[in-house]
Amino acid sequence: MDLSLSPSEEAFRREFAAWLRANLPDEWRGRRLRGAPEGPVLVARRSWERTLGAGGWLGVSWPAAYGGRGATAMEHVIYLEELFGAGAPDPLNTLGLNLVGPTIIEAGTDEQKQRFLRPMLRGEAVWCQGFSEPDAGSDLAGLQTRADRDGDDWVVNGQKIWSSGAQYSDWCALLARTDQDAPKHKGISFLLVDMRSPGITVRPIRQISGDSEFNEIYFDNVRVPGDQILGEVNGGWLVANRMLAYERGVITMEMLAGYQRLWEELRDYARATRRDGAALIDDASVRDRLVRTYVDVQLMRLANLRLITRYMRGAPPGAETSYMKLYWVTTEQGLADLSLSLAGPAGLAMGGERLRLYFMSRAASIYGGTEDIQRNIIAERVFGLPRG
Ligand SMILES: Cc1cc2nc3c(=O)[nH]c(=O)nc-3n(C[C@H](O)[C@H](O)[C@H](O)COP(=O)(O)OP(=O)(O)OC[C@H]3O[C@@H](n4cnc5c(N)ncnc54)[C@H](O)[C@@H]3O)c2cc1C
């Protein structure tokens, strides 16, 4: 693996860096605008998303034929490093641009591509993912939300939970059971649902951190036109799995860029802060933990580059993407622990940024497929061990 950048990759970096210098408003620079987007933060992030869209800097790795830049996986990494490095607001439509859009490109009809892709690229349509239910998380195929045919439409009834960002999303990628008698994996369809449809109720869930990052969504006789099924009727399991394959690949790049930025913030904080008459950075235990977390970030980066090299050679994402999910957990939780202890007792203030980050980091072991499930996949598919 060659870790140096090619001249065209360097040119890509310079082009985006110059665009950011010219277009990222000063008042947003250096502010992460983290957490559940609400009120003015949501307004700012929506506006920044549209600015990126107007500049042609959303969906960079989508094929040019669908309005993207056809960027390679390595260029996508460079894009994220520049975006996060400049202290730009966190991307809002992560699910749409990284998961739903590429899945529509793969599995959508021409009409669906025409209709759904451009608004995402303009930063005008935010998507959420309606997969998990109260009794269907790890065992997703056990989902009970149903869609019944009525003329040309489907009528959806049921409940989803943990749907990140549903409270401000325009569209939902929804899994529903469309054949009640088929074996559980074979009776599911993938629906593209307008979140403004009558019969949808979104209830934010207040978390221990004080944020409402995710929601319950209730569907009460929600009508979805027949041409808003992605892929085959009852073929949704296949489409969902293609979408999830993107999750641990592409989203890892975005997480990593955020971790790199957070590590630099913590280092700068330790340099700039004095406690008990000495700079934090001169405390041996602080230096030790900074080094450990740096190593975690670099290991994750190298493992990710190896994965990207595979993609760029045309290899499909395999079971090893499960390792990446385990890297998220170690790296994010290590950084959040460090962040909290650097702040000292003041970090424990409820409502404070560091405590929020710490609480959110605990969720890393669950979202995107739990640690246990990833370990099962690695044990069975990589090590060839018998099923547990
Ligand atoms: C911050 C956050 C954001 C999320 N965003 C979304 C979203 O936008 N859309 C969405 O659809 N979902 C979302 N989720 C839901 C997430 O995908 C589920 O929480 C996850 O799949 C686990 O499902 P569950 O919560 O039902 O737990 P369960 O599946 O009930 O698991 C409970 C425990 O049992 C363990 N377990 C379960 N099965 C096995 C097994 N076979 N072997 C060993 N251990 C097992 C699990 O590891 C876990 O520790 C989000 C979750 C979080 C925390």
Side-chain angles (χ1 to χ4, degrees):
M1 192 168 88
D2 181 3
L3 292 177
S4 53
L5 296 184
S6 68
S8 67
E9 287 165 347
E10 290 288 8
F12 181 89
R13 185 190 288 284
R14 280 195 302 275
E15 186 187 352
F16 187 44
W19 185 88
L20 280 172
R21 274 195 301 279
N23 291 281
L24 176 60
D26 275 344
E27 67 269 27
W28 295 347
R29 203 178 284 273
R31 287 181 61 205
R32 289 204 53 191
L33 295 180
R34 293 186 185 110
E38 291 170 354
V41 172
L42 179 58
V43 172
R45 283 175 63 176
R46 272 196 181 272
S47 164
W48 171 238
E49 198 98 340
R50 283 194 297 273
T51 308
L52 280 167
W57 288 106
L58 289 178
V60 288
S61 53
W62 291 14
Y66 297 110
R69 285 180 176 253
T72 63
M74 193 64 220
E75 286 167 344
H76 196 140
V77 171
I78 294 169
Y79 165 82
L80 290 167
E81 282 179 356
E82 288 301 316
L83 189 67
F84 281 68
D90 286 353
L92 192 63
N93 190 24
T94 294
L95 280 167
L97 290 162
N98 294 323
L99 308 188
V100 184
T103 312
I104 291 178
I105 290 172
E106 264 190 54
T109 61
D110 287 345
E111 195 273 334
Q112 288 170 339
K113 291 174 191 169
Q114 287 290 333
R115 180 172 172 198
F116 294 113
L117 297 178
R118 291 280 168 183
M120 280 193 230
L121 289 178
R122 288 195 298 263
E124 288 167 1
V126 176
W127 285 71
C128 63
Q129 179 189 25
F131 283 18
S132 304
E133 297 184 1
D135 292 319
S138 303
D139 179 22
L140 184 58
L143 61 89
Q144 296 297 321
T145 294
R146 57 189 292 159
D148 297 287
R149 205 187 264 284
D150 182 23
D152 289 339
D153 294 347
W154 293 88
V155 179
V156 180
N157 282 285
Q159 183 199 346
K160 296 289 169 178
I161 194 166
W162 316 127
S163 313
S164 303
Q167 72 272 45
Y168 54 81
S169 288
D170 306 291
W171 288 88
C172 179
L174 180 81
L175 290 184
R177 192 162 294 289
T178 40
D179 184 337
Q180 310 301 321
D181 303 320
K184 61 180 186 177
H185 294 85
K186 298 196 170 146
I188 295 171
S189 297
F190 192 119
L191 288 85
L192 309 172
V193 180
D194 185 342
M195 287 298 283
R196 291 184 193 87
S197 310
I200 293 185
T201 308
V202 176
R203 288 203 194 136
I205 298 174
R206 185 62 64 180
Q207 299 152 219
I208 191 172
S209 61
D211 290 338
S212 294
E213 192 264 345
F214 44 43
N215 306 265
E216 295 174 300
I217 315 179
Y218 291 87
F219 296 85
D220 181 14
N221 287 322
V222 175
R223 295 193 85 83
V224 180
D227 59 3
Q228 287 173 210
I229 294 237
L230 185 62
E232 303 288 321
V233 173
N234 295 325
W237 187 248
L238 203 68
V239 183
N241 275 294
R242 297 184 88 130
M243 180 163 132
L244 291 174
Y246 287 111
E247 184 160 22
R248 287 191 287 276
V250 191
I251 300 263
T252 295
M253 298 186 208
E254 204 159 296
M255 311 282 285
L256 183 59
Y259 298 156
Q260 286 175 308
R261 181 168 70 182
L262 176 58
W263 186 86
E264 284 165 13
E265 282 172 18
L266 295 179
R267 177 204 53 198
D268 294 346
Y269 178 84
R271 277 186 181 147
T273 308
R274 295 183 73 79
R275 193 160 298 141
D276 301 328
L280 275 183
I281 196 86
D282 291 333
D283 179 325
S285 70
V286 169
R287 296 170 81 88
D288 182 57
R289 291 183 70 184
L290 274 169
V291 170
R292 279 169 200 265
T293 45
Y294 181 80
V295 170
D296 285 341
V297 173
Q298 293 310 317
L299 281 176
M300 183 172 167
R301 179 168 174 269
L302 290 171
N304 192 46
L305 285 174
R306 186 168 55 191
L307 200 65
I308 284 168
T309 309
R310 275 175 53 97
Y311 290 160
M312 287 170 70
R313 291 184 182 146
E320 74 285 344
T321 58
S322 291
Y323 288 121
M324 295 314 304
K325 176 62 221 292
L326 297 181
Y327 278 117
W328 294 4
V329 182
T330 318
T331 309
E332 181 167 335
Q333 294 184 349
L335 285 168
D337 287 353
L338 175 59
S339 165
L340 195 58
S341 50
L342 282 184
L348 295 174
M350 283 312 279
E353 171 61 25
R354 288 173 189 264
L355 195 59
R356 199 194 70 74
L357 190 69
Y358 176 83
F359 283 138
M360 269 313 288
S361 78
R362 310 324 293 171
S365 3
I366 299 170
Y367 58 72
T370 71
E371 274 188 291
D372 303 315
I373 296 297
Q374 306 314 319
R375 290 206 172 93
N376 281 351
I377 293 172
I378 293 166
E380 289 163 21
R381 296 199 215 147
V382 182
F383 298 156
L385 296 177
R387 286 177 71 85

Coordinates of all heavy atoms in Angstrom, one line a residue, residues 143-203:
L143 N -38.7 -7.7 12.0 CA -39.5 -6.4 12.1 C -41.0 -6.7 11.8 O -41.3 -7.6 11.0 CB -38.9 -5.4 11.2 CG -38.8 -5.6 9.7 CD1 -40.1 -5.2 9.0 CD2 -37.6 -4.9 9.1
Q144 N -41.8 -5.9 12.4 CA -43.3 -6.1 12.4 C -44.0 -5.0 11.7 O -45.2 -5.2 11.4 CB -43.8 -6.2 13.8 CG -43.3 -7.4 14.6 CD -43.7 -8.7 13.9 OE1 -44.8 -8.8 13.4 NE2 -42.8 -9.7 13.9
T145 N -43.4 -3.8 11.5 CA -44.1 -2.7 10.7 C -44.6 -3.3 9.4 O -43.8 -4.0 8.7 CB -43.2 -1.5 10.5 OG1 -42.9 -1.0 11.8 CG2 -43.8 -0.5 9.6
R146 N -45.8 -3.0 9.1 CA -46.4 -3.7 7.8 C -46.8 -2.7 6.8 O -47.1 -1.5 7.1 CB -47.5 -4.6 8.2 CG -48.7 -4.0 8.9 CD -49.6 -5.0 9.4 NE -50.3 -5.7 8.2 CZ -50.9 -6.9 8.3 NH1 -50.9 -7.6 9.4 NH2 -51.5 -7.4 7.2
A147 N -46.7 -3.1 5.6 CA -47.2 -2.2 4.5 C -48.2 -3.1 3.7 O -47.8 -4.2 3.2 CB -46.1 -1.7 3.6
D148 N -49.4 -2.7 3.5 CA -50.4 -3.5 2.8 C -50.8 -2.8 1.5 O -51.0 -1.6 1.6 CB -51.6 -3.8 3.7 CG -51.3 -4.6 4.9 OD1 -51.0 -5.8 4.8 OD2 -51.2 -3.9 6.0
R149 N -51.0 -3.5 0.5 CA -51.3 -2.9 -0.8 C -52.8 -2.4 -0.8 O -53.6 -3.1 -0.3 CB -51.1 -3.9 -1.9 CG -50.8 -3.3 -3.3 CD -50.8 -4.3 -4.3 NE -49.5 -4.8 -4.7 CZ -48.6 -4.1 -5.4 NH1 -48.8 -2.9 -5.8 NH2 -47.4 -4.7 -5.7
D150 N -53.0 -1.2 -1.4 CA -54.3 -0.7 -1.5 C -54.3 0.1 -2.8 O -53.8 1.2 -2.9 CB -54.7 0.2 -0.3 CG -56.1 0.7 -0.5 OD1 -56.9 0.1 -1.2 OD2 -56.4 1.8 0.1
G151 N -54.8 -0.6 -3.9 CA -54.7 0.0 -5.2 C -53.3 0.2 -5.6 O -52.5 -0.8 -5.5
D152 N -52.9 1.4 -6.0 CA -51.5 1.6 -6.4 C -50.6 1.9 -5.2 O -49.3 2.0 -5.4 CB -51.3 2.8 -7.4 CG -51.9 2.4 -8.8 OD1 -52.0 1.2 -9.0 OD2 -52.3 3.3 -9.5
D153 N -51.2 2.1 -4.1 CA -50.4 2.6 -2.9 C -50.1 1.4 -2.0 O -50.7 0.3 -2.1 CB -51.2 3.6 -2.1 CG -51.4 4.9 -2.8 OD1 -50.8 5.1 -3.9 OD2 -52.3 5.7 -2.4
W154 N -49.2 1.7 -1.0 CA -49.0 0.8 0.1 C -49.4 1.6 1.4 O -49.2 2.8 1.4 CB -47.5 0.4 0.3 CG -47.1 -0.5 -0.9 CD1 -46.6 -0.1 -2.1 CD2 -47.1 -1.9 -0.9 NE1 -46.3 -1.1 -2.9 CE2 -46.7 -2.3 -2.2 CE3 -47.6 -2.9 0.0 CZ2 -46.6 -3.6 -2.6 CZ3 -47.5 -4.2 -0.4 CH2 -47.0 -4.6 -1.7
V155 N -50.0 0.9 2.3 CA -50.5 1.6 3.5 C -49.7 1.0 4.7 O -49.7 -0.2 5.0 CB -52.0 1.3 3.8 CG1 -52.5 2.0 5.0 CG2 -52.8 1.9 2.6
V156 N -48.9 1.9 5.3 CA -48.0 1.5 6.4 C -48.5 1.7 7.8 O -49.1 2.8 8.1 CB -46.7 2.3 6.2 CG1 -45.6 1.9 7.3 CG2 -46.1 2.2 4.8
N157 N -48.4 0.7 8.6 CA -48.7 0.8 10.0 C -47.6 0.1 10.9 O -47.1 -0.9 10.5 CB -50.1 0.0 10.3 CG -51.3 0.9 9.8 OD1 -51.6 1.9 10.5 ND2 -51.8 0.5 8.7
G158 N -47.3 0.8 12.0 CA -46.3 0.2 12.8 C -45.5 1.3 13.5 O -45.8 2.4 13.5
Q159 N -44.4 0.8 14.2 CA -43.5 1.7 14.9 C -42.1 1.4 14.7 O -41.6 0.3 14.7 CB -43.8 1.5 16.4 CG -43.0 2.5 17.3 CD -42.9 2.1 18.7 OE1 -43.6 1.3 19.2 NE2 -42.0 2.8 19.4
K160 N -41.3 2.5 14.5 CA -39.8 2.4 14.5 C -39.3 3.1 15.7 O -39.9 3.9 16.3 CB -39.3 3.1 13.2 CG -39.8 2.4 11.9 CD -39.1 1.1 11.7 CE -39.7 0.2 10.6 NZ -39.0 -1.1 10.4
I161 N -38.0 2.8 16.0 CA -37.4 3.4 17.2 C -35.9 3.6 16.9 O -35.3 3.0 16.0 CB -37.6 2.6 18.5 CG1 -37.2 3.4 19.7 CG2 -36.8 1.3 18.4 CD1 -37.7 2.7 21.0
W162 N -35.3 4.5 17.6 CA -33.9 4.9 17.5 C -33.6 5.5 16.2 O -32.4 5.5 15.7 CB -32.9 3.7 17.7 CG -33.2 2.8 18.8 CD1 -33.3 1.4 18.7 CD2 -33.4 3.1 20.2 NE1 -33.6 0.9 20.0 CE2 -33.6 1.9 20.9 CE3 -33.4 4.3 20.9 CZ2 -33.9 1.9 22.3 CZ3 -33.6 4.3 22.3 CH2 -33.8 3.1 22.9
S163 N -34.6 6.2 15.5 CA -34.3 6.7 14.2 C -33.6 8.1 14.3 O -34.2 9.1 14.7 CB -35.7 6.9 13.4 OG -36.4 5.8 13.6
S164 N -32.3 8.1 14.0 CA -31.5 9.3 14.2 C -32.0 10.4 13.3 O -32.2 10.1 12.1 CB -30.0 9.0 13.9 OG -29.6 8.0 14.7
G165 N -32.2 11.6 13.8 CA -32.4 12.7 13.0 C -33.8 12.7 12.4 O -34.2 13.6 11.5
A166 N -34.7 11.8 12.7 CA -36.1 11.8 12.1 C -36.8 13.1 12.3 O -37.6 13.5 11.5 CB -36.9 10.6 12.6
Q167 N -36.5 13.8 13.4 CA -37.3 15.0 13.8 C -37.1 16.1 12.8 O -37.9 17.0 12.7 CB -37.1 15.4 15.2 CG -35.7 16.0 15.5 CD -34.6 15.0 15.9 OE1 -34.5 14.0 15.2 NE2 -33.8 15.3 16.9
Y168 N -36.0 16.1 12.1 CA -35.7 17.1 11.1 C -35.5 16.5 9.7 O -35.1 17.2 8.8 CB -34.5 18.0 11.5 CG -33.3 17.3 11.7 CD1 -32.4 16.9 10.7 CD2 -32.9 16.9 13.0 CE1 -31.3 16.2 11.0 CE2 -31.7 16.2 13.3 CZ -30.9 15.9 12.2 OH -29.8 15.1 12.5
S169 N -35.9 15.3 9.5 CA -35.7 14.7 8.2 C -36.9 14.9 7.2 O -38.0 15.0 7.7 CB -35.4 13.1 8.3 OG -34.2 12.9 8.9
D170 N -36.5 14.9 5.9 CA -37.6 15.1 4.9 C -38.1 13.8 4.4 O -39.2 13.6 4.0 CB -37.0 15.9 3.8 CG -36.4 17.2 4.3 OD1 -37.2 18.1 4.7 OD2 -35.1 17.4 4.3
W171 N -37.2 12.8 4.4 CA -37.5 11.5 3.9 C -37.0 10.4 4.8 O -36.0 10.6 5.6 CB -36.9 11.3 2.5 CG -37.5 12.1 1.4 CD1 -37.3 13.4 1.1 CD2 -38.6 11.7 0.6 NE1 -38.1 13.9 0.2 CE2 -39.0 12.9 -0.2 CE3 -39.4 10.6 0.5 CZ2 -40.0 12.8 -1.1 CZ3 -40.4 10.5 -0.4 CH2 -40.7 11.6 -1.2
C172 N -37.6 9.2 4.7 CA -37.2 8.1 5.5 C -37.0 6.8 4.6 O -37.9 6.5 3.8 CB -38.3 7.8 6.6 SG -37.9 6.4 7.6
A173 N -35.9 6.1 4.8 CA -35.6 4.8 4.2 C -36.2 3.8 5.1 O -35.6 3.5 6.2 CB -34.2 4.6 4.0
L174 N -37.3 3.2 4.8 CA -38.1 2.4 5.7 C -38.2 1.0 5.3 O -38.4 0.7 4.1 CB -39.6 3.0 5.7 CG -40.5 2.3 6.7 CD1 -40.4 2.7 8.1 CD2 -42.0 2.5 6.2
L175 N -38.0 0.1 6.3 CA -38.2 -1.4 6.0 C -39.6 -1.7 6.6 O -39.9 -1.4 7.8 CB -37.1 -2.2 6.6 CG -35.8 -2.1 6.0 CD1 -34.8 -3.1 6.7 CD2 -35.8 -2.4 4.5
A176 N -40.4 -2.4 5.8 CA -41.7 -2.8 6.3 C -42.0 -4.2 5.7 O -41.5 -4.6 4.6 CB -42.8 -1.8 5.8
R177 N -42.9 -5.0 6.4 CA -43.2 -6.3 6.0 C -44.4 -6.2 5.0 O -45.4 -5.7 5.3 CB -43.6 -7.1 7.2 CG -43.8 -8.6 7.0 CD -43.7 -9.4 8.2 NE -42.4 -9.3 8.9 CZ -41.3 -9.9 8.5 NH1 -41.3 -10.7 7.4 NH2 -40.2 -9.8 9.1
T178 N -44.1 -6.7 3.7 CA -45.2 -6.6 2.7 C -45.8 -8.0 2.4 O -46.7 -8.1 1.6 CB -44.6 -6.0 1.4 OG1 -43.3 -6.5 1.2 CG2 -44.6 -4.5 1.5
D179 N -45.2 -9.1 3.0 CA -45.8 -10.4 2.8 C -45.8 -11.0 4.2 O -44.7 -11.4 4.7 CB -45.0 -11.2 1.8 CG -45.7 -12.6 1.6 OD1 -46.5 -13.0 2.5 OD2 -45.5 -13.2 0.5
Q180 N -46.9 -11.2 4.8 CA -47.0 -11.7 6.2 C -46.8 -13.2 6.3 O -46.5 -13.7 7.4 CB -48.4 -11.3 6.8 CG -48.9 -9.9 6.6 CD -47.9 -8.9 7.2 OE1 -47.3 -9.1 8.3 NE2 -47.7 -7.8 6.5
D181 N -46.9 -13.9 5.2 CA -46.8 -15.3 5.2 C -45.4 -15.9 4.8 O -45.0 -17.0 5.1 CB -47.8 -16.0 4.3 CG -49.2 -15.5 4.7 OD1 -49.5 -15.4 5.9 OD2 -50.0 -15.2 3.8
A182 N -44.6 -15.0 4.1 CA -43.3 -15.5 3.6 C -42.3 -15.7 4.8 O -42.5 -15.1 5.8 CB -42.8 -14.5 2.6
P183 N -41.2 -16.5 4.6 CA -40.2 -16.6 5.6 C -39.7 -15.2 5.9 O -39.7 -14.3 5.0 CB -39.1 -17.4 4.9 CG -39.8 -18.1 3.8 CD -41.0 -17.3 3.4
K184 N -39.2 -14.9 7.1 CA -39.1 -13.5 7.6 C -38.2 -12.6 6.7 O -38.5 -11.5 6.5 CB -38.7 -13.4 9.1 CG -37.4 -14.0 9.5 CD -37.3 -13.8 11.0 CE -35.9 -14.3 11.5 NZ -35.7 -14.0 12.9
H185 N -37.1 -13.2 6.1 CA -36.2 -12.4 5.3 C -36.8 -12.1 3.9 O -36.4 -11.2 3.2 CB -34.9 -13.1 5.0 CG -34.1 -13.2 6.3 ND1 -34.2 -14.3 7.1 CD2 -33.1 -12.5 6.8 CE1 -33.4 -14.2 8.1 NE2 -32.7 -13.1 8.0
K186 N -37.9 -12.8 3.5 CA -38.4 -12.8 2.2 C -39.6 -12.0 2.0 O -40.2 -11.9 0.9 CB -38.5 -14.2 1.6 CG -37.2 -14.9 1.6 CD -37.2 -16.1 0.7 CE -35.8 -16.6 0.5 NZ -35.8 -18.1 0.4
G187 N -40.1 -11.4 3.1 CA -41.4 -10.7 3.0 C -41.3 -9.2 3.3 O -42.2 -8.6 3.7
I188 N -40.0 -8.7 3.2 CA -39.7 -7.3 3.6 C -39.5 -6.4 2.3 O -38.8 -6.9 1.4 CB -38.5 -7.3 4.5 CG1 -38.8 -8.0 5.8 CG2 -38.0 -5.9 4.7 CD1 -37.6 -8.2 6.7
S189 N -40.0 -5.2 2.3 CA -39.8 -4.3 1.2 C -39.1 -3.0 1.8 O -39.3 -2.7 3.0 CB -41.0 -3.9 0.5 OG -41.6 -5.1 -0.1
F190 N -38.4 -2.3 0.9 CA -37.7 -1.1 1.2 C -38.5 0.1 0.6 O -38.6 0.2 -0.6 CB -36.3 -1.2 0.6 CG -35.3 -0.2 1.1 CD1 -34.1 -0.6 1.7 CD2 -35.5 1.2 0.8 CE1 -33.2 0.3 2.1 CE2 -34.5 2.1 1.3 CZ -33.4 1.6 1.9
L191 N -39.0 0.9 1.5 CA -39.9 2.0 1.0 C -39.2 3.4 1.2 O -38.5 3.6 2.2 CB -41.2 2.0 1.7 CG -42.2 0.9 1.4 CD1 -41.9 -0.3 2.2 CD2 -43.6 1.4 1.7
L192 N -39.5 4.3 0.3 CA -38.9 5.7 0.4 C -40.1 6.5 0.8 O -41.1 6.7 0.0 CB -38.4 6.1 -1.0 CG -37.4 5.1 -1.6 CD1 -37.0 5.5 -3.0 CD2 -36.1 5.0 -0.7
V193 N -40.1 7.0 2.0 CA -41.3 7.6 2.6 C -41.1 9.1 2.9 O -40.1 9.5 3.5 CB -41.7 6.9 3.9 CG1 -43.0 7.5 4.5 CG2 -41.9 5.4 3.7
D194 N -42.0 9.9 2.4 CA -42.0 11.3 2.7 C -42.4 11.5 4.1 O -43.5 11.2 4.6 CB -43.1 12.0 1.7 CG -43.1 13.5 1.8 OD1 -42.5 14.0 2.8 OD2 -43.6 14.2 0.9
M195 N -41.5 12.2 4.9 CA -41.8 12.3 6.3 C -42.9 13.3 6.6 O -43.4 13.4 7.8 CB -40.5 12.8 7.1 CG -39.5 11.7 7.2 SD -40.1 10.3 8.2 CE -39.9 11.0 9.9
R196 N -43.4 14.0 5.6 CA -44.6 14.9 5.8 C -45.9 14.2 5.5 O -46.9 14.9 5.5 CB -44.4 16.2 5.0 CG -43.2 17.0 5.5 CD -43.0 18.3 4.8 NE -41.7 18.9 5.1 CZ -40.6 18.6 4.5 NH1 -40.6 17.8 3.5 NH2 -39.5 19.1 5.0
S197 N -45.9 12.9 5.2 CA -47.1 12.2 4.9 C -48.0 12.2 6.1 O -47.6 12.1 7.2 CB -46.8 10.8 4.5 OG -45.8 10.6 3.6
P198 N -49.4 12.4 5.8 CA -50.3 12.3 7.0 C -50.2 10.9 7.6 O -50.0 9.9 6.9 CB -51.7 12.5 6.3 CG -51.4 13.1 4.9 CD -50.0 12.7 4.6
G199 N -50.3 10.9 9.0 CA -50.3 9.6 9.7 C -48.9 9.3 10.3 O -48.8 8.4 11.0
I200 N -47.9 10.2 10.1 CA -46.6 10.0 10.7 C -46.5 10.9 11.9 O -46.7 12.1 11.9 CB -45.5 10.3 9.7 CG1 -45.4 9.4 8.6 CG2 -44.1 10.3 10.4 CD1 -44.3 9.5 7.6
T201 N -46.1 10.2 13.0 CA -45.8 11.0 14.3 C -44.4 10.7 14.7 O -44.0 9.5 14.8 CB -46.8 10.6 15.4 OG1 -48.1 10.7 14.9 CG2 -46.6 11.5 16.6
V202 N -43.6 11.7 14.9 CA -42.2 11.6 15.4 C -42.1 12.0 16.8 O -42.5 13.1 17.1 CB -41.3 12.4 14.5 CG1 -39.8 12.3 15.0 CG2 -41.3 12.0 13.0
R203 N -41.7 11.1 17.7 CA -41.5 11.5 19.1 C -40.0 11.4 19.5 O -39.5 10.3 19.6 CB -42.3 10.5 20.0 CG -43.7 10.7 19.9 CD -44.4 10.1 21.2 NE -45.8 10.1 20.9 CZ -46.6 9.0 21.2 NH1 -46.1 8.0 21.8 NH2 -47.9 9.1 20.9

